[in-house]
Amino acid sequence: QVQLQESGPGLVKPSQTLSLTCSVSGGSISSGGYYWSWVRQHPGKGLEWIVYIYHTGRAYYNASLKSRVTASVDTSKNQFSLKLSSVTAADTAVYYCARGRTGDYGGFDIWGQGTMVTVSS
Amino acid sequence: DIVMTQSPDSLAVSLGERASINCKSSQSVLYSSNNKNHLAWYQQKPGQPLKLLIYWASTRESGVPDRFSGSGSGTDFTLTISSLQAEDVAVYYCQQYYNIPYTFGQGTKLEIK
Protein backbone atom coordinates (compact mmCIF):
# COMPACT_ATOMS: atom_id res chain seq x y z
CA GLN A 1 0.00 0.00 0.00
CA VAL A 2 1.03 3.60 -0.48
CA GLN A 3 3.16 5.12 2.24
CA LEU A 4 4.46 8.63 2.73
CA GLN A 5 7.65 9.61 4.54
CA GLU A 6 8.77 13.13 5.34
CA SER A 7 12.45 14.03 5.51
CA GLY A 8 14.41 17.16 6.21
CA PRO A 9 16.30 18.99 8.94
CA GLY A 10 14.71 19.08 12.36
CA LEU A 11 16.28 22.42 13.25
CA VAL A 12 16.24 25.56 11.15
CA LYS A 13 17.62 28.96 12.07
CA PRO A 14 15.39 32.02 12.02
CA SER A 15 15.24 33.80 8.66
CA GLN A 16 16.45 30.69 6.84
CA THR A 17 14.50 28.43 4.51
CA LEU A 18 12.84 25.25 5.72
CA SER A 19 13.03 22.45 3.15
CA LEU A 20 11.14 19.20 3.43
CA THR A 21 10.62 16.28 1.10
CA CYS A 22 7.90 13.65 1.09
CA SER A 23 8.79 10.32 -0.48
CA VAL A 24 5.96 8.25 -1.87
CA SER A 25 6.35 4.47 -1.84
CA GLY A 26 4.05 1.66 -2.88
CA GLY A 27 2.48 3.66 -5.67
CA SER A 28 3.15 6.34 -8.25
CA ILE A 29 2.83 10.02 -7.48
CA SER A 30 1.58 10.37 -11.05
CA SER A 31 -1.47 8.19 -10.45
CA GLY A 32 -4.68 9.92 -11.37
CA GLY A 33 -7.23 10.86 -8.75
CA TYR A 34 -4.84 12.25 -6.18
CA TYR A 35 -3.14 15.41 -5.06
CA TRP A 36 -0.30 15.81 -2.62
CA SER A 37 -0.40 18.12 0.35
CA TRP A 38 1.47 19.59 3.28
CA VAL A 39 -0.24 20.21 6.62
CA ARG A 40 1.37 21.43 9.82
CA GLN A 41 0.46 21.14 13.46
CA HIS A 42 1.83 23.60 15.97
CA PRO A 43 2.79 22.01 19.31
CA GLY A 44 -0.32 21.17 21.25
CA LYS A 45 -2.46 23.08 18.81
CA GLY A 46 -4.55 22.71 15.73
CA LEU A 47 -3.91 21.88 12.12
CA GLU A 48 -3.04 24.24 9.30
CA TRP A 49 -3.21 23.27 5.64
CA ILE A 50 -0.28 24.76 3.71
CA VAL A 51 -0.46 23.67 0.07
CA TYR A 52 -1.47 20.95 -2.30
CA ILE A 53 0.11 20.04 -5.61
CA TYR A 54 -0.76 17.76 -8.50
CA HIS A 55 1.79 15.56 -10.22
CA THR A 56 1.68 18.07 -13.10
CA GLY A 57 3.18 20.67 -10.80
CA ARG A 58 0.03 22.77 -10.50
CA ALA A 59 -0.09 23.98 -6.89
CA TYR A 60 -2.66 25.70 -4.68
CA TYR A 61 -1.47 27.59 -1.64
CA ASN A 62 -2.86 28.84 1.62
CA ALA A 63 -2.88 32.59 1.05
CA SER A 64 -1.64 33.19 4.59
CA LEU A 65 1.65 31.51 3.71
CA LYS A 66 1.75 31.85 -0.06
CA SER A 67 4.41 34.56 -0.17
CA ARG A 68 6.85 32.27 1.65
CA VAL A 69 5.92 28.81 0.33
CA THR A 70 7.05 26.94 -2.74
CA ALA A 71 5.83 23.44 -3.52
CA SER A 72 7.30 21.20 -6.18
CA VAL A 73 7.03 17.65 -7.41
CA ASP A 74 9.65 15.32 -8.84
CA THR A 75 7.89 12.47 -10.58
CA SER A 76 11.17 10.75 -11.46
CA LYS A 77 11.94 10.39 -7.76
CA ASN A 78 8.31 9.91 -6.73
CA GLN A 79 8.64 12.82 -4.31
CA PHE A 80 7.15 16.19 -3.59
CA SER A 81 8.70 18.99 -1.61
CA LEU A 82 8.01 22.06 0.46
CA LYS A 83 10.13 25.16 0.91
CA LEU A 84 9.17 27.77 3.49
CA SER A 85 11.33 30.88 3.50
CA SER A 86 12.09 33.48 6.16
CA VAL A 87 11.07 31.19 8.99
CA THR A 88 10.42 32.38 12.52
CA ALA A 89 9.64 30.62 15.78
CA ALA A 90 5.99 30.66 14.71
CA ASP A 91 6.87 28.10 12.04
CA THR A 92 7.91 25.55 14.65
CA ALA A 93 5.54 22.64 14.11
CA VAL A 94 5.12 19.05 13.09
CA TYR A 95 4.93 18.99 9.32
CA TYR A 96 2.89 16.26 7.67
CA CYS A 97 2.63 15.27 4.06
CA ALA A 98 -0.66 13.74 3.01
CA ARG A 99 -2.45 12.36 -0.03
CA GLY A 100 -5.72 13.94 -1.03
CA ARG A 101 -8.32 12.34 -3.26
CA THR A 102 -10.43 13.70 -6.06
CA GLY A 103 -13.44 12.33 -7.89
CA ASP A 104 -15.64 9.90 -6.01
CA TYR A 105 -13.53 10.04 -2.90
CA GLY A 106 -12.60 12.83 -0.53
CA GLY A 107 -10.38 13.77 2.34
CA PHE A 108 -6.73 13.03 3.02
CA ASP A 109 -6.55 9.26 3.17
CA ILE A 110 -2.83 8.68 3.71
CA TRP A 111 -0.52 10.63 5.97
CA GLY A 112 3.17 10.53 6.69
CA GLN A 113 4.32 10.09 10.27
CA GLY A 114 5.19 13.76 10.47
CA THR A 115 8.48 15.51 11.09
CA MET A 116 9.09 17.98 13.88
CA VAL A 117 10.76 21.18 12.73
CA THR A 118 12.05 23.61 15.31
CA VAL A 119 13.03 27.14 14.38
CA SER A 120 15.71 28.34 16.73
CA SER A 121 19.13 29.92 16.67
CA ASP B 1 -11.70 31.37 4.95
CA ILE B 2 -14.25 28.85 6.20
CA VAL B 3 -14.04 28.60 9.97
CA MET B 4 -14.71 25.17 11.43
CA THR B 5 -15.89 25.11 15.05
CA GLN B 6 -16.15 21.90 16.99
CA SER B 7 -18.02 21.22 20.19
CA PRO B 8 -17.33 20.26 22.82
CA ASP B 9 -13.58 20.81 23.20
CA SER B 10 -13.40 17.70 25.35
CA LEU B 11 -15.73 14.86 26.13
CA ALA B 12 -15.69 11.97 28.61
CA VAL B 13 -17.90 8.99 27.85
CA SER B 14 -18.26 5.61 29.54
CA LEU B 15 -17.17 2.48 27.69
CA GLY B 16 -20.00 1.14 25.57
CA GLU B 17 -21.85 4.44 25.57
CA ARG B 18 -22.48 6.79 22.65
CA ALA B 19 -20.18 9.71 21.92
CA SER B 20 -21.17 12.60 19.67
CA ILE B 21 -18.96 15.40 18.40
CA ASN B 22 -20.32 18.41 16.55
CA CYS B 23 -18.75 20.49 13.84
CA LYS B 24 -20.13 23.72 12.45
CA SER B 25 -18.80 25.51 9.38
CA SER B 26 -19.05 29.27 8.90
CA GLN B 27 -20.53 28.70 5.45
CA SER B 28 -22.10 25.77 3.67
CA VAL B 29 -19.74 23.07 2.42
CA LEU B 30 -22.43 21.45 0.29
CA TYR B 31 -21.24 21.59 -3.30
CA SER B 32 -24.21 21.97 -5.63
CA SER B 33 -22.56 20.35 -8.65
CA ASN B 34 -22.21 16.97 -6.97
CA ASN B 35 -24.66 17.42 -4.07
CA LYS B 36 -21.98 16.34 -1.65
CA ASN B 37 -20.80 17.86 1.59
CA HIS B 38 -17.05 18.39 1.37
CA LEU B 39 -16.45 17.47 5.01
CA ALA B 40 -14.15 14.87 6.52
CA TRP B 41 -13.54 13.54 10.02
CA TYR B 42 -10.18 12.37 11.34
CA GLN B 43 -8.90 10.63 14.44
CA GLN B 44 -5.50 11.42 15.93
CA LYS B 45 -3.90 9.39 18.69
CA PRO B 46 -0.88 10.74 20.60
CA GLY B 47 2.28 10.80 18.54
CA GLN B 48 0.49 9.57 15.45
CA PRO B 49 -0.67 11.17 12.22
CA LEU B 50 -4.31 11.71 11.43
CA LYS B 51 -6.45 8.80 10.32
CA LEU B 52 -9.32 9.44 7.93
CA LEU B 53 -12.59 8.12 9.32
CA ILE B 54 -15.35 9.74 7.26
CA TYR B 55 -15.51 11.72 4.00
CA TRP B 56 -18.40 13.35 2.14
CA ALA B 57 -19.69 13.94 5.71
CA SER B 58 -21.15 10.44 5.99
CA THR B 59 -19.11 7.93 3.94
CA ARG B 60 -17.06 5.66 6.12
CA GLU B 61 -13.49 5.10 4.96
CA SER B 62 -12.59 1.50 4.14
CA GLY B 63 -11.53 -0.42 7.23
CA VAL B 64 -13.10 1.99 9.72
CA PRO B 65 -15.33 0.19 12.25
CA ASP B 66 -19.04 0.67 11.68
CA ARG B 67 -19.49 2.13 15.16
CA PHE B 68 -18.21 5.37 13.59
CA SER B 69 -20.78 7.33 11.61
CA GLY B 70 -21.10 10.84 10.23
CA SER B 71 -24.18 12.91 9.60
CA GLY B 72 -25.28 16.41 8.76
CA SER B 73 -25.41 18.72 5.78
CA GLY B 74 -24.71 22.30 4.86
CA THR B 75 -23.09 23.81 7.92
CA ASP B 76 -23.82 21.39 10.76
CA PHE B 77 -22.25 17.99 11.13
CA THR B 78 -21.90 15.26 13.74
CA LEU B 79 -19.48 12.39 14.26
CA THR B 80 -21.02 9.63 16.36
CA ILE B 81 -19.33 6.65 17.96
CA SER B 82 -22.17 4.30 18.79
CA SER B 83 -20.43 2.24 21.47
CA LEU B 84 -17.20 3.70 22.79
CA GLN B 85 -14.20 1.37 22.92
CA ALA B 86 -10.98 1.98 24.83
CA GLU B 87 -9.05 2.33 21.58
CA ASP B 88 -11.25 5.26 20.53
CA VAL B 89 -9.53 7.59 23.00
CA ALA B 90 -8.10 10.26 20.71
CA VAL B 91 -8.54 13.76 19.41
CA TYR B 92 -11.06 14.10 16.59
CA TYR B 93 -10.98 16.77 13.90
CA CYS B 94 -13.37 17.84 11.20
CA GLN B 95 -12.05 19.38 8.00
CA GLN B 96 -13.65 21.09 5.04
CA TYR B 97 -12.33 20.55 1.54
CA TYR B 98 -14.99 22.70 -0.10
CA ASN B 99 -12.56 25.46 -0.98
CA ILE B 100 -9.06 26.62 -0.25
CA PRO B 101 -7.66 27.18 2.20
CA TYR B 102 -8.77 23.82 3.52
CA THR B 103 -9.46 24.30 7.20
CA PHE B 104 -9.77 22.09 10.27
CA GLY B 105 -11.76 22.31 13.45
CA GLN B 106 -9.83 22.93 16.66
CA GLY B 107 -10.22 19.31 17.73
CA THR B 108 -12.27 17.46 20.35
CA LYS B 109 -10.47 15.34 22.92
CA LEU B 110 -12.37 12.16 23.71
CA GLU B 111 -11.66 10.33 26.95
CA ILE B 112 -13.09 7.47 28.96
CA LYS B 113 -15.28 8.38 31.92
Side-chain angles (χ1 to χ4, degrees), chain A residues 9-120:
Chain A
L11 181 64
V12 181
K13 288 182 166 49
S15 79
Q16 294 190 341
T17 296
L18 177 165
S19 295
L20 297 174
T21 296
C22 183
S23 298
V24 180
S25 60
S28 173
I29 200 170
S30 299
S31 296
Y34 304 106
Y35 54 90
W36 308 91
S37 196
W38 290 96
V39 176
R40 69 182 181 179
Q41 186 169 33
H42 295 97
K45 295 186 179 179
L47 295 146
E48 181 178 29
W49 171 79
I50 301 170
V51 62
Y52 74 75
I53 188 167
Y54 290 100
H55 71 276
T56 57
R58 180 75 180 264
Y60 296 82
Y61 297 91
N62 189 328
S64 68
L65 295 167
K66 186 175 182 178
S67 64
R68 298 194 292 131
V69 173
T70 303
S72 60
V73 62
D74 186 336
T75 55
S76 66
K77 294 183 178 179
N78 224 30
Q79 296 175 337
F80 61 105
S81 298
L82 173 75
K83 291 186 186 299
L84 178 64
S85 64
S86 304
V87 298
T88 69
D91 296 309
T92 293
V94 176
Y95 286 76
Y96 294 99
C97 57
R99 186 179 79 170
R101 303 184 299 190
T102 64
D104 291 338
Y105 301 90
F108 295 115
D109 68 325
I110 298 175
W111 294 69
Q113 285 299 307
T115 186
M116 179 69 203
V117 177
T118 301
V119 178
S120 175

Side-chain angles (χ1 to χ4, degrees), chain B residues 52-64:
Chain B
L52 178 65
L53 300 174
I54 303 285
Y55 59 96
W56 300 138
S58 60
T59 302
R60 196 179 305 112
E61 176 70 352
S62 177
V64 172

Side-chain angles (χ1 to χ4, degrees), chain B residues 87-107:
Chain B
E87 60 266 31
D88 300 335
V89 169
V91 179
Y92 292 84
Y93 295 94
C94 61
Q95 177 235 337
Q96 65 81 17
Y97 49 99
Y98 179 83
N99 62 18
I100 59 171
Y102 293 166
T103 48
F104 294 82
Q106 80 277 16

Side-chain angles (χ1 to χ4, degrees), chain B residues 14-110:
Chain B
S14 300
L15 289 173
E17 295 299 305
R18 178 186 298 260
S20 293
I21 298 169
N22 300 306
C23 175
K24 188 174 183 67
S25 57
S26 61
Q27 67 184 72
S28 176
V29 297
L30 176 61
Y31 196 34
S32 58
S33 67
N34 62 5
N35 198 35
K36 292 182 178 180
N37 289 282
H38 291 224
L39 188 285
W41 287 97
Y42 300 88
Q43 176 192 67
Q44 186 178 36
K45 297 180 179 180
Q48 294 187 20
L50 277 70
K51 176 185 176 182
L52 178 65
L53 300 174
I54 303 285
Y55 59 96
W56 300 138
S58 60
T59 302
R60 196 179 305 112
E61 176 70 352
S62 177
V64 172
D66 61 7
R67 64 180 181 273
F68 290 91
S69 64
S71 62
S73 185
T75 61
D76 292 279
F77 302 91
T78 301
L79 174 70
T80 300
I81 306 172
S82 60
S83 177
L84 188 70
Q85 306 298 303
E87 60 266 31
D88 300 335
V89 169
V91 179
Y92 292 84
Y93 295 94
C94 61
Q95 177 235 337
Q96 65 81 17
Y97 49 99
Y98 179 83
N99 62 18
I100 59 171
Y102 293 166
T103 48
F104 294 82
Q106 80 277 16
T108 295
K109 186 175 184 179
L110 178 59

